Amino acid sequence: MPHFIMEYSANLDEDLDIPALFEKLNETAIGTGVFPIGGIRTRAVRCEHFRVGEGDPENTFVHLTAKVGSGREPEVLKAACDKIFETFTECLKPAFEKRWMSIGFEMIELHPERNYRLNNIHKKLADKK
């Protein structure tokens, strides 16, 4: 983990370079040293139906959720959040400067007893070393 889930308004299609954004987010997450590389997942959900603010069709939104495993110190997660949000907003800056936009980010710590995973990517990455 983290699993990054980005929701965005469909009227941003021309203004977002999602592959470049995801590359930067993953690089930042790895750079924090907090998250195992094999656990990082990044995906986007295009929201065809949305309403932002007063309903002006030119309004846009992008919201990023990071779901992370439990057990890290709060200050460690806060520092990671700060770096991720900085990267996220920097990548969105060109669109933000020309569009009416709401940008959001939240990090959710998953419950340690109700979060199940099976992942063999960690082994693949370890074998490459």
Side-chain angles (χ1 to χ4, degrees), residues 69-83:
S70 64
R72 296 175 183 92
E73 293 296 322
E75 56 275 2
V76 170
L77 288 180
K78 172 72 166 99
C81 280
D82 290 346
K83 289 180 182 177

